[in-house]
Amino acid sequence: MTVTEMAKHTALAWEGGDPQVFFGRHRFTLTPEAEGTRLLDEEVFTGAMAEAVLAEHRTTLEADYQASAAALKETAEQQQ
């Protein structure tokens, strides 16, 4: 993976893989709001195998994503 953006307190992005076969881009964006901070978590996959890989592993990926988001939320709320 290669970090493509790192902006203190606002963004972190990285990408990696083979652009022709399976390539992923991931970005976290933090935006201050009145009641705290909004976290936008974006992921984009491209390449010839992207659709097949995502279809085959969607259930596992979604479960892992939800677990990660819940752990991050819990950790952030404990920091308040």
Side-chain angles (χ1 to χ4, degrees):
M1 298 307 239
T2 300
V3 173
T4 58
E5 181 180 3
M6 189 167 55
K8 188 175 182 177
H9 304 299
T10 60
L12 175 63
W14 61 90
E15 63 185 26
D18 181 336
Q20 299 301 312
V21 181
F22 189 79
F23 191 79
R25 290 184 174 88
H26 198 121
R27 187 171 200 278
F28 290 115
T29 305
L30 299 169
T31 307
E33 292 194 345
E35 298 298 318
T37 302
R38 175 178 297 271
L39 169 65
L40 178 60
D41 185 354
E42 301 172 280
E43 232 174 8
V44 176
F45 295 99
T46 58
M49 296 295 299
E51 187 174 336
V53 169
L54 293 174
E56 182 176 343
H57 299 285
R58 183 167 311 278
T59 301
T60 300
L61 291 170
E62 287 177 352
D64 289 347
Y65 178 82
Q66 292 300 326
S68 176
L72 179 59
K73 181 178 188 295
E74 181 179 338
T75 300
E77 288 174 346
Q78 288 174 358
Q79 301 298 313
Q80 293 181 2

